[in-house]
Amino acid sequence: MKLLKVAVAALVMAAMVTPVIAEDRLSLNGEMRVRGWHVDSDPDWNDDDDTLTWGDQRLRIGGKIAVAEGVSITFRTDITESNWGSGNTFGSGRTGVQQWDRAHIDLVSGNFHLRAGQQYVAYGMTYAVDEQSNGLAMDYYFGDTPLNVFVLLDDDNGGKDQTDAFLFGAKIAPKFGDVATDFFVAGRDDGEEENVMLVGADMKADFGGVKLAAEIDYFDGDADDAAGVDAYGTQAMVDASLAASDAFTVGGQIFYALGDDEDKQYVSIGNGFGGWDPIADVGTSLSNEQITFGSPFNVASITAYEEPTIGLTSAGSIGGRLYTSFKAGEDLTFGASAGYFVSEEDKIADVEVMALAGGLVYKIMENTSLQLQLQYADGTLNETAATRSLGLDGDQDFDNFSAGTGLFVKF
C-alpha cells in the first residue's frame, strides 16, 4: 500500500510539472470555425436553377516546438474539416481523416535559415507561386536584404525517379527607402511534358496613409510538349488605397492579363493551396473559400462553376474594382467591393462580368467574431465560334448569388 501511494504521488507531481515544461518549449495557436453557405446560380445554358445550402466546420491547431537554440519544429493540423452530415452516424469528424498542412524543421544560425519538410511557399502578391508540398527552402540575409531559394518535390509520379515533378525558385527582397520590392524567378518541371518558367516583380509603398502596390508576372515554356501547346502568361496588377480617416479606407485595383487563342494561359504555378480571390475580398474570413469569383487574370474563371466556360479559360482579362472598409466601432467593421471585368482575347470567350460583394465582421466576445459575406455576379457570355463549338447558340446570360456566414474563435 505504501508503494502504491508513492506511485500515485509521483504521477500527480509529474502531471503538475509536465505542463510547465511543455509551456516553456511548446507554443500553440489556431482557430475553430463553424460556417454556413448558400449559392443560387441561374445560367441560360442550364434549364434548372442550381441552389445549394450547406454547413461546414474546421478545428485548426498549429504549434512550434523549441528544441534547442536555433532549432525548432513546426506543425499544423486540421481536424473535422468537412461539410456537416458528410461523415458517418456520429458526425462529420468521424471519417478518420486528419489533415496535416505543416510539418517542418527550421534551423537558424546567424544570417542563415534552413527549412526542411512539408511547407508552404508563395511568391508575389498575386500568388504567382502557390505551393504546399515537401522539400527544402533556404533564407540568407545580406544585411537587411533576404534571399530565398527553394525546391519542392511536387509529385514523385509513383516513385519513378526519371519523371519526378519539381517546383523551384529564388527571390530577393531589397528595400529602397519606403519602397519594399520582390524580384523572383520560379519554374515547374513535371519531368515529362510540362516545363513552365516564371519571372516576376512586385513592390509595396506606404506614404502616410496612401498605400501603393504593383506586380508584373511573365510565364513561358511548355504546357504540353507532346501536343505542341505552349505555356504563356503576361499579367499585371496595380493597387492604390487611401486611409481617409482612422475608420474609413477606400481603394482601387486594376488587372490586366493577355489571352491567347492557341496556347494555355498560366496565372500561377504550383498546386494552388493558398488560392487568391481579391475580387471578393471585403475583409472577412469567408472570401476565397466556398464562395469565390476566381482569378482576376482570367475572366472566364470568374464563372468557372458554370460548365460552358471550362474550355474557355485562356481568355485573359481586363478589369478593375473599387473597395472600401468602414470601422463602425471597436467591435464592428464593414467592407464592400464592386468590380467589372471583360475578356482580353475575344476569340476564346467574349465575356463581361459585374461582381459585387459586401461583408461584416462583428466581435461578439474576446477572440470571437461573427462574420457575414454576400456576393453577386452578373454577366454575359457572348456568342463566338468557341461558344458555338460547345453547342451554345446566341448570347448566354448568367448570374450567381452567394452568401456565407460563420462563427470564428482564434486562440
Side-chain angles (χ1 to χ4, degrees), residues 15-346:
M16 295 174 63
V17 173
T18 300
V20 176
I21 297 173
E23 181 68 21
D24 184 51
R25 300 179 59 185
L26 172 65
S27 59
L28 293 176
N29 60 80
E31 177 191 71
M32 177 72 188
R33 68 186 189 190
V34 175
R35 308 178 302 182
W37 307 97
H38 175 79
V39 174
D40 188 355
S41 178
D42 184 21
D44 279 353
W45 50 83
N46 191 336
D47 293 334
D48 300 323
D49 254 351
D50 293 330
T51 302
L52 298 171
T53 302
W54 71 100
D56 67 10
Q57 71 175 64
R58 182 187 73 189
L59 170 60
R60 168 168 287 176
I61 300 174
K64 182 176 180 180
I65 304 171
V67 178
E69 181 69 28
V71 182
S72 63
I73 296 173
T74 297
F75 65 88
R76 194 178 84 179
T77 181
D78 293 339
I79 306 169
T80 72
E81 184 174 15
S82 54
N83 292 347
W84 281 6
S86 64
N88 62 20
T89 305
F90 302 105
S92 59
R94 296 291 289 258
T95 58
V97 176
Q98 182 177 359
Q99 302 173 17
W100 290 92
D101 294 332
R102 308 281 190 273
H104 54 76
I105 299 168
D106 287 271
L107 305 178
V108 178
S109 178
N111 292 344
F112 178 78
H113 169 214
L114 175 68
R115 175 167 292 174
Q118 182 167 304
Q119 56 191 284
Y120 177 65
V121 175
Y123 281 1
M125 295 177 293
T126 68
Y127 290 69
V129 173
D130 185 5
E131 171 96 2
Q132 177 176 282
S133 197
N134 306 89
L136 300 170
M138 182 209 60
D139 296 301
Y140 188 83
Y141 285 81
F142 297 93
D144 295 330
T145 300
L147 170 68
N148 173 263
V149 179
F150 77 90
V151 58
L152 302 178
L153 180 58
D154 183 69
D155 189 348
D156 71 353
N157 292 315
K160 300 176 182 179
D161 292 339
Q162 68 273 19
T163 60
D164 288 348
F166 287 95
L167 187 75
F168 48 89
K171 177 180 72 172
I172 191 165
K175 290 192 68 175
F176 304 95
D178 295 328
V179 180
T181 65
D182 294 307
F183 300 93
F184 49 88
V185 295
R188 185 183 188 277
D189 188 346
D190 72 352
E192 295 180 334
E193 309 299 341
E194 184 186 42
N195 188 359
V196 182
M197 294 298 300
L198 158 70
V199 178
D202 64 43
M203 61 78 65
K204 292 181 180 179
D206 188 345
F207 303 105
V210 177
K211 295 182 179 180
L212 300 176
E215 179 169 343
I216 185 167
D217 305 307
Y218 176 75
F219 300 85
D220 197 10
D222 298 318
D224 189 339
D225 186 50
V229 179
D230 292 334
Y232 83 94
T234 300
Q235 60 194 35
M237 178 200 73
V238 178
D239 185 333
S241 64
L242 169 66
S245 69
D246 292 339
F248 183 70
T249 300
V250 62
Q253 293 174 318
I254 298 174
F255 304 94
Y256 179 80
L258 288 173
D260 193 292
D261 61 341
E262 296 180 353
D263 301 316
K264 180 179 178 181
Q265 180 188 0
Y266 280 74
V267 299
S268 68
I269 55 175
N271 53 30
F273 179 85
W276 186 58
D277 180 19
I279 306 171
D281 185 2
V282 290
T284 76
S285 300
L286 298 162
S287 62
N288 196 35
E289 284 282 347
Q290 302 273 16
I291 52 175
T292 179
F293 285 131
S295 172
F297 294 127
N298 196 326
V299 69
S301 75
I302 298 175
T303 60
Y305 47 80
E306 314 291 8
E307 291 181 2
T309 63
I310 291 175
L312 309 173
T313 54
S314 291
S317 182
I318 304 172
R321 73 173 189 125
L322 297 175
Y323 61 87
T324 184
S325 173
F326 176 67
K327 193 172 179 63
E330 288 296 322
D331 300 328
L332 181 61
T333 303
F334 294 95
S337 170
Y340 182 76
F341 297 82
V342 298
S343 49
E344 197 278 334
E345 177 52 81
D346 294 344

Side-chain angles (χ1 to χ4, degrees), residues 3-18:
L3 180 62
L4 178 61
K5 290 181 179 179
V6 171
V8 171
L11 289 173
V12 171
M13 291 178 64
M16 295 174 63
V17 173
T18 300

